[in-house]
Amino acid sequence: MKQVEVNFDGLVGPTHNYAGLSIGNVASLNNANAFSSPKQAALQGLQKMKALHDMGMIQGVLAPQARPDIDTLRRLGFTGSDSNVLEQASKRAPEVFSACCSASSMWTANAATVSPSADTSNGKVHFTPANLTNKFHRSLEPEVTGRILQATFDNDKYFQHHQHLPENEHFGDEGAANHTRLCSDYGHAGIEMFVYGRYAFDSSKPAPKKFPARQTLEASQAVARLHGLSDDTTVFVQQNPDLIDQGVFHNDVISVGNQNVLFYHEQAFLDTQNALDEIQRKFGEQKLHFIQVDTKTVPVQDAIKTYLFNTQIITMANGEMTIIAPTECEENPIVANYLQELTSLNTPIKKVHYFDVKQSMRNGGGPACLRLRVAMTGAELEAVNQHTLMSDAVFVRLNKWVNKHYRDQLSVNDLRDAQLLDETRSALDELTQILNLGSIYPFQRQ
Ligand code: SUG
């Protein structure tokens, strides 16, 4: 079987909510405390997964995390019954409480960095969960993410799982949101491009002034070492610090790559020409398509608002590429015109499909945030936990499961309700059976 790239989308959790937790992520701050619709969010996510499956792609599902995170609240000094922990924490430390309720694990681009076997020194697919140290609510994710990945890619012969990097800002790591791979074919060795926001150990180097740079160079280098990547096929590029200050909190908000295409905004990187030269030199003779979008064509603010670059570029069976874009791109005339023109240029991108992922967009997560890419050989794909792969039957089952367990509407206040905690736990317990994951959640391991 031919090598494929599988998108593993994060299933939106039953406590999806808007808490305004991500400084530097403009959408998250703008929608703080708005009502959310967990059911609609989860169904929107499933629709996107099913649509890609129907387009002939292989699509996977990654389980969400359990929230509210009672264990962390206990670690922070709240005691008594679970219901007491919820009540005390929400009253006495409301900000800490809402951070412990975030359903942010749905953005699986931040779950881990993945290197396919063609790139690694031992020929296995490597996974390093992201430590997400920059935001407290996200720093609660890596341990359970590691367990979800182990249960999904549960075969030592083909998959190697690393522990997340040390939990400190010096090694701030946001996973695949700051990593992309260029290759002639998914199964051939590719160029792994790591984009970092700042140097952790050298404060004289350029860095953003207003918003945090979540990814450090030293973290990216550590992941490349862990994965056994060769210097000859690895490139480290600094993100433009001015753009981080304008709200580009991850590289995947301003650039995306697929096979021989790098699609990026003119202002995305600090030293664009050198970066492109190095990528092309290391890539070899075959010419890459560098698709640069100039500021005069699409201003940075339009790119951020519409998530033009947080699109998925996927390769169809006939070799042509399709862009999976949020409907926000279609609704913005500048961006919609640009995308229409793009499909007529001399590049592999020939189609655009728009998807409604508004529930995710309101927290700053577009189509590309919702998926973790894993390129695999046929044998590796067979070794994946098959229950996590999308099919007509899995789609029906997961829709039923969402409709049975999820609330239509949720406010931040509802999160202190012990009844919601019970609902969430029974939903997730059932999900681990559907996806055959075993006991991955802390509440299942006590
Ligand atoms: O880490 N939002 C996420 C969005 C992540 C998007 N991911 C990528 N671009 N790959 C974040 O900022 C907001 C949660 C809240 O405010 O309730 C949040 O965590």
Side-chain angles (χ1 to χ4, degrees):
M1 188 196 178
K2 202 174 159 345
Q3 287 93 350
V4 288
E5 183 177 80
V6 185
N7 287 290
F8 280 84
D9 278 39
L11 203 50
V12 177
T15 51
H16 167 61
N17 69 94
Y18 303 119
L21 299 171
S22 279
I23 294 162
N25 168 348
V26 187
S28 150
L29 293 194
N30 286 347
N31 290 299
N33 298 325
F35 277 96
S36 63
S37 172
K39 187 182 280 181
Q40 197 189 357
L43 296 177
Q44 281 176 355
L46 282 169
Q47 283 296 347
K48 173 167 104 65
M49 296 185 222
K50 178 64 165 42
L52 265 76
H53 165 76
D54 291 346
M55 286 160 78
M57 308 295 294
I58 298 176
Q59 176 69 51
V61 184
L62 286 180
Q65 307 220 352
R67 295 289 180 271
D69 185 341
I70 297 288
D71 282 23
T72 296
L73 290 170
R74 288 189 186 282
R75 227 180 123 190
L76 296 174
F78 296 101
T79 55
S81 63
D82 287 348
S83 141
N84 203 55
V85 167
L86 292 174
E87 195 190 316
Q88 291 301 312
S90 60
K91 270 201 200 124
R92 292 171 54 194
E95 290 86 3
V96 177
F97 177 68
S98 67
C100 290
C101 291
S102 175
S104 51
S105 65
M106 64 196 261
W107 299 292
T108 51
N110 301 114
T113 307
V114 183
S115 296
S117 52
D119 297 354
T120 63
S121 54
N122 67 355
K124 294 189 188 191
V125 185
H126 285 240
F127 299 83
T128 299
N131 60 20
L132 301 167
T133 51
N134 186 258
K135 299 279 177 274
F136 170 63
H137 70 288
R138 303 223 60 182
S139 72
L140 308 177
E141 296 173 31
E143 205 173 310
V144 173
T145 298
R147 270 187 234 138
I148 293 171
L149 291 171
Q150 291 262 8
T152 308
F153 303 93
D154 184 17
N155 188 318
D156 292 350
K157 185 170 169 207
Y158 297 107
F159 307 120
Q160 186 162 346
H161 296 273
H162 300 276
Q163 195 190 350
H164 56 275
L165 298 182
E167 292 139 5
N168 181 281
E169 282 277 316
H170 279 72
F171 286 98
D173 177 24
E174 301 275 326
N178 294 310
H179 171 258
T180 201
R181 179 170 181 262
L182 301 161
C183 56
S184 52
D185 204 349
Y186 293 125
H188 294 157
I191 301 297
E192 298 213 9
M193 175 180 177
F194 290 83
V195 182
Y196 58 95
R198 69 180 174 98
Y199 289 71
F201 289 89
D202 185 349
S203 54
S204 70
K205 292 283 200 320
K209 296 185 175 63
K210 186 174 162 202
F211 290 142
R214 298 198 198 183
Q215 179 85 33
T216 67
L217 168 64
E218 292 81 349
S220 299
Q221 288 170 330
V223 172
R225 274 192 298 273
L226 285 168
H227 291 195
L229 304 181
S230 152
D231 289 346
D232 298 339
T233 53
T234 309
V235 178
F236 299 95
V237 178
Q238 185 163 4
Q239 201 184 338
N240 180 350
D242 292 345
L243 283 209
I244 296 178
D245 281 340
Q246 288 177 49
V248 181
F249 59 98
H250 285 139
N251 173 61
D252 71 3
V253 176
I254 206 70
S255 107
V256 55
N258 178 51
Q259 291 187 330
N260 59 350
V261 168
L262 183 67
F263 179 47
Y264 61 97
H265 194 275
E266 182 185 10
Q267 297 187 53
F269 312 116
L270 187 62
D271 184 356
T272 309
Q273 202 47 55
N274 270 333
L276 301 186
D277 289 348
E278 184 182 351
I279 293 168
Q280 183 61 71
R281 182 167 45 77
K282 291 186 169 175
F283 195 73
E285 296 202 333
Q286 197 198 333
K287 280 272 168 273
L288 284 158
H289 291 271
F290 290 122
I291 309 179
Q292 174 170 306
V293 182
D294 296 336
T295 309
K296 62 178 186 325
T297 312
V298 180
V300 171
Q301 281 311 312
D302 288 270
I304 297 175
K305 271 191 230 125
T306 60
Y307 266 34
L308 167 62
F309 297 97
N310 201 263
T311 42
Q312 290 175 246
I313 307 179
I314 56 172
T315 306
M316 312 299 293
N318 64 2
E320 288 183 358
M321 296 188 193
T322 293
I323 288 203
I324 306 296
T327 43
E328 281 75 357
C329 288
E330 195 177 19
E331 289 154 10
N332 176 311
I334 299 177
V335 172
N337 284 341
Y338 171 75
L339 280 172
Q340 198 184 351
E341 197 187 309
L342 172 63
T343 54
S344 65
L345 301 179
N346 187 23
T347 83
I349 301 175
K350 295 296 169 213
K351 278 204 181 100
V352 185
H353 272 272
Y354 293 103
F355 283 88
D356 181 358
V357 287
K358 282 199 165 40
Q359 286 287 327
S360 169
M361 287 288 282
R362 279 187 204 135
N363 251 339
C369 299
L370 287 162
R371 62 94 167 90
L372 183 68
R373 296 188 275 186
V374 187
M376 282 182 277
T377 63
E380 288 158 0
L381 183 60
E382 272 173 32
V384 170
N385 169 352
Q386 300 293 303
H387 296 81
T388 64
L389 297 178
M390 183 53 72
S391 64
D392 292 350
V394 168
F395 180 68
V396 170
R397 209 156 167 210
L398 288 176
N399 269 286
K400 266 200 197 137
W401 171 80
V402 169
N403 281 312
K404 173 173 158 199
H405 293 284
Y406 280 49
R407 294 194 181 183
D408 287 308
Q409 207 183 51
L410 204 69
S411 76
V412 175
N413 273 341
D414 295 330
L415 294 163
R416 58 170 93 127
D417 177 4
Q419 169 72 28
L420 179 70
L421 180 70
D422 286 348
E423 281 170 32
T424 301
R425 287 180 171 173
S426 42
L428 295 179
D429 200 41
E430 195 180 319
L431 181 69
T432 53
Q433 292 162 41
I434 298 176
L435 302 179
N436 197 25
L437 298 175
S439 299
I440 51 171
Y441 297 116
F443 73 84
Q444 296 175 308
R445 297 161 73 95
Q446 276 151 9

